[in-house]
Amino acid sequence: MPVQPHSAMVLAAGFGTRMRPLTDHTPKPLVEVAGKPLIDHVLDRLDEVGVRTAVVNVHYLGEQIIAHTASRKAPNVIISDERNEVLDTGGGVAKALPLLGDAPFFHLNADTLWIDSVAPNLQRLADAFDPAHMDILLLMAPTAGSIGYDGTGDFTMLTDGRLQRRTEQHVVPFVYAGAAILSPAIFKGAPQGAFSLTKLFDEAATHGRLFGLRLEGIWMHVGTPGAIAAAEKAILASAA
């Protein structure tokens, strides 16, 4: 049976080095796109699908993110403070698990940005996540048609939705869009301290429990200052 997550993990601890000089004095989640900080785009989408609690981890210039989110009511923001340590994507989530509860939860990068089509993509993820068969469900953007992305993709998606990671020197049609639903069970036996979440993605794939859902709409990879203008142009066009 599908699940409806009421909690979310938002990764906001990165250094944003590729976004310099904008991130010299501002953390990337607070860089504005279309008049709104990136993290607010994410929190607004979580509120739209009924998420009550968003755990936000912070490290680089974390005090700015703490101050910015302090007055947020929906969803309620709980800070997972990593200012004295570097835990990487997996270690950050592992530390925050006691705040996330025992049920599957949304997992989003604080800088992920997309334009929905008819139905909200986060709701589509919730409707598609089946804990009997899945440990992880990733929102996958087609590399063709995405804005600001010129890489070689991350995964091949089989007809049943299972994902297979791109092998070296191959080009694949889908890139991870920075939004997912994760089962807390994947962190059982996870390493202590810093580790990459991709380690758990690969373990789930080995057991046939890593799935993808194609994003409906337009995904925008806002990785550099130059990508902001293209994203704002797309957002403006979608509102016309």
Side-chain angles (χ1 to χ4, degrees):
M1 293 291 292
V3 299
Q4 185 69 41
H6 294 295
S7 62
M9 180 78 200
V10 179
L11 297 185
F15 290 93
T17 54
R18 294 182 64 236
M19 192 61 85
R20 288 175 178 167
L22 297 181
T23 51
D24 285 344
H25 305 289
T26 302
K28 186 178 179 183
L30 296 188
V31 170
E32 291 195 1
V33 175
K36 183 191 296 187
L38 283 165
I39 195 170
D40 285 337
H41 285 278
V42 168
L43 293 172
D44 286 348
R45 292 209 181 280
L46 291 170
D47 180 37
E48 182 181 28
V49 295
V51 168
R52 300 177 190 133
T53 301
V55 179
V56 177
N57 70 338
V58 298
H59 177 75
Y60 175 65
L61 300 176
E63 63 281 355
Q64 294 186 35
I65 299 173
I66 293 171
H68 179 79
T69 58
S71 61
R72 184 92 191 194
K73 302 299 183 184
N76 177 50
V77 171
I78 300 175
I79 297 296
S80 182
D81 195 339
E82 300 174 18
R83 284 177 289 177
N84 294 325
E85 52 193 341
V86 177
L87 291 176
D88 206 342
T89 53
V93 180
K95 177 181 178 177
L97 281 180
L99 303 172
L100 291 163
D102 298 327
F105 55 89
F106 285 115
H107 174 276
L108 288 92
N109 298 335
D111 60 355
T112 192
L113 190 64
W114 70 83
I115 299 169
D116 282 320
S117 183
V118 177
N121 280 291
L122 290 185
Q123 187 58 55
R124 293 180 59 243
L125 274 177
D127 292 342
F129 186 80
D130 181 358
H133 300 97
M134 306 174 184
D135 289 331
I136 301 171
L137 179 62
L138 305 181
L139 187 63
M140 304 302 301
T143 55
S146 293
I147 293 174
Y149 181 78
D150 59 0
T152 53
D154 294 326
F155 295 96
T156 295
M157 188 155 48
L158 304 182
T159 55
D160 65 355
R162 283 184 174 85
L163 295 177
Q164 294 181 341
R165 185 171 291 281
R166 180 182 67 85
T167 55
E168 191 174 355
Q169 298 181 351
H170 283 79
V171 176
V172 292
F174 291 100
V175 56
Y176 173 45
I181 294 178
L182 309 183
S183 169
I186 66 173
F187 291 90
K188 184 178 181 180
Q192 296 294 313
F195 69 94
S196 173
L197 197 58
T198 58
K199 171 182 173 63
L200 302 186
F201 289 0
D202 291 341
E203 289 179 0
T206 298
H207 294 95
R209 295 183 63 85
L210 176 70
F211 283 75
L213 179 72
R214 183 186 179 115
L215 181 146
E216 291 185 356
I218 302 172
W219 182 63
M220 294 166 281
H221 180 56
V222 188
T224 63
I228 293 176
E232 290 180 331
K233 182 178 179 181
I235 292 171
L236 183 64
S238 72

